[in-house]
Amino acid sequence: MNHWHGKQVLVTGADGFIGSHLVESLVEAGAKVRALCLYNSFNDWGWLEQSPVLAEVEIISGDVRDPFLCKKITQDCHTVFHLAALIAIPYSYVAPNSYVETNVNGTLNMAQACLDNGVSRFMHTSTSEVYGTAQYVPINEKHPVQPQSPYSASKIGADAMAMSYFNAFEMPVCIARPFNTYGPRQSARAVIPTIITQIANGKKRIELGDTSPTRDFNYVTDTCRGMMAIAASEKTIGQTVNIGSNFEISVQDTLELIKELMGSEVEFVQDEQRLRPKDSEVFRLWCDNSLIHELTGFEPQTDIRAGLSKTIDWFTQADNLKRYKANIYNV
């Protein structure tokens, strides 16, 4: 029996990178999907604009910072996937209050709305950035959280706010904590799209921040499958669950792999403005994914080489490439 068939679900942040892929995965699974896209005067629905499932989705434009809107959009929902967040780390250095407003207060608004409307499952989305630089590897869910940027601090606060609704009100909350997701539609702030778009635009030298940190990269469809597995399981209520590959690779080795797959002779050089403040850089992220496997049976399906190949194929299509400003540094 398909858990999602016929169920009314809400995805916040549905216009974004992971959110748009999650919407498509849920539609494919037979769910009735309501998608919250960030309100803007262009009436732009982000990555859902070109989605093949757009006609099957109920689109709502709005903002999780408004509690009245949150209460309205959660009515009659079985499951809420809360992905709406400000995510850029460098921008959090210059606009930290925006991160508290959207990430902490937005999560509070959504949690209260779900409680008021008797939603059967509230799945809040965390991030591996809350762990900071690994104190031990691989990182399991018991690893301390370390607020190494205003962004990670806001997500630690948002996670705590969501879990407080489980502890205080017995609301069925689960927290998905994905490690580094990549794939088609990812923001150009992230290192993989930055490299692919610049190589595709013929750059001979690419300026980068520190390439020595390691990451646990996960192809976007695996992240979505993990989220759906966590939200569908009774065992995950009241739990925070990592989504990752249990595989660590340095940013430098990732770049070399992209270079190889694209047949490029590009040279990588360090750019001082792209370096994070010394105590803010997260040097190691390597996910222990044993809990998600134990609770749901989830295993990633796309390895780094296959995932990068799919990502390169998408980014190098002319219509997709022109959406990215490869010649500027995105904060």
Side-chain angles (χ1 to χ4, degrees):
M1 170 74 180
N2 178 357
H3 175 84
W4 299 107
H5 187 74
K7 286 198 168 68
Q8 178 69 61
V9 301
L10 167 69
V11 178
T12 72
D15 45 343
F17 161 46
I18 300 174
S20 61
H21 284 281
L22 180 61
V23 165
E24 290 168 0
S25 297
L26 285 162
V27 169
E28 281 170 31
K32 297 179 187 168
V33 182
R34 185 176 294 161
L36 177 68
C37 300
L38 181 62
Y39 175 83
N40 60 84
S41 58
F42 307 104
N43 201 27
D44 186 287
W45 300 334
W47 287 117
L48 288 180
E49 290 279 352
Q50 279 79 38
S51 175
V53 304
L54 183 60
E56 300 169 68
V57 177
E58 178 192 355
I59 302 271
I60 295 172
S61 292
D63 194 319
V64 294
R65 290 176 298 177
D66 189 280
F68 301 98
L69 175 101
C70 293
K71 187 158 184 182
K72 188 173 181 182
I73 63 176
T74 49
Q75 283 172 357
D76 308 318
C77 281
H78 179 276
T79 300
V80 170
F81 291 88
H82 177 46
L83 281 73
L86 271 177
I87 57 171
I89 294 160
Y91 187 55
S92 78
Y93 303 143
V94 296
N97 187 62
S98 304
Y99 286 72
V100 174
E101 288 290 327
T102 295
N103 298 353
V104 183
N105 292 348
T107 300
L108 168 62
N109 292 339
M110 286 301 302
Q112 184 63 46
C114 288
L115 182 66
D116 290 345
N117 284 320
V119 167
S120 295
R121 181 65 66 92
F122 178 60
M123 194 223 76
H124 169 68
T125 309
S126 180
T127 167
S128 57
E129 279 287 325
V130 302
Y131 292 127
T133 293
Q135 294 182 14
Y136 60 83
V137 292
I139 297 170
N140 62 14
E141 292 81 0
K142 293 183 171 65
H143 188 287
V145 293
Q146 305 176 97
Q148 287 182 232
S149 64
Y151 164 66
S152 66
S154 73
K155 292 298 287 185
I156 290 167
D159 294 356
M161 187 60 74
M163 196 53 76
S164 76
Y165 271 67
F166 168 73
N167 291 322
F169 309 113
E170 297 181 346
M171 192 167 94
V173 173
C174 54
I175 297 179
R177 187 167 282 161
F179 277 64
N180 304 87
T181 303
Y182 71 97
R185 309 176 194 160
Q186 188 173 18
S187 158
R189 295 170 305 91
V191 68
I192 289 174
T194 295
I195 301 310
I196 295 171
T197 54
Q198 289 187 72
I199 292 175
N201 278 296
K203 279 277 191 82
K204 300 290 180 250
R205 293 172 84 245
I206 294 181
E207 296 176 337
L208 295 162
D210 191 351
T211 59
S212 64
T214 67
R215 294 293 182 257
D216 186 316
F217 286 117
N218 295 272
Y219 191 63
V220 62
T221 52
D222 278 335
T223 297
C224 293
R225 285 176 49 249
M227 288 178 161
M228 289 167 68
I230 289 166
S233 168
E234 290 300 309
K235 296 176 186 171
T236 58
I237 293 173
Q239 300 257 24
T240 298
V241 186
N242 287 341
I243 304 173
S245 69
N246 205 4
F247 173 74
E248 175 186 39
I249 183 171
S250 73
V251 172
Q252 184 68 42
D253 288 347
T254 308
L255 304 183
E256 295 298 339
L257 186 50
I258 293 169
K259 190 171 156 179
E260 177 203 325
L261 290 167
M262 294 184 76
S264 169
E265 295 297 312
V266 73
E267 177 192 2
F268 298 122
V269 292
Q270 193 169 89
D271 172 17
E272 293 299 315
Q273 75 156 338
R274 294 170 188 252
L275 295 174
R276 293 196 202 178
K278 180 173 65 73
D279 293 331
S280 197
E281 180 58 86
V282 172
F283 287 102
R284 284 189 89 179
L285 285 174
W286 172 4
C287 173
D288 182 334
N289 63 1
S290 52
L291 184 62
I292 190 171
H293 180 70
E294 178 192 323
L295 296 178
T296 73
F298 168 85
E299 285 183 358
Q301 292 178 341
T302 307
D303 68 26
I304 184 84
R305 194 177 189 94
L308 284 175
S309 295
K310 290 181 185 182
T311 306
I312 290 164
D313 288 347
W314 185 87
F315 272 98
T316 51
Q317 291 171 29
D319 281 354
N320 297 330
L321 187 61
K322 70 184 182 189
R323 290 169 149 267
Y324 289 82
K325 301 182 177 96
N327 60 332
I328 67 162
Y329 171 46
N330 293 270
V331 172

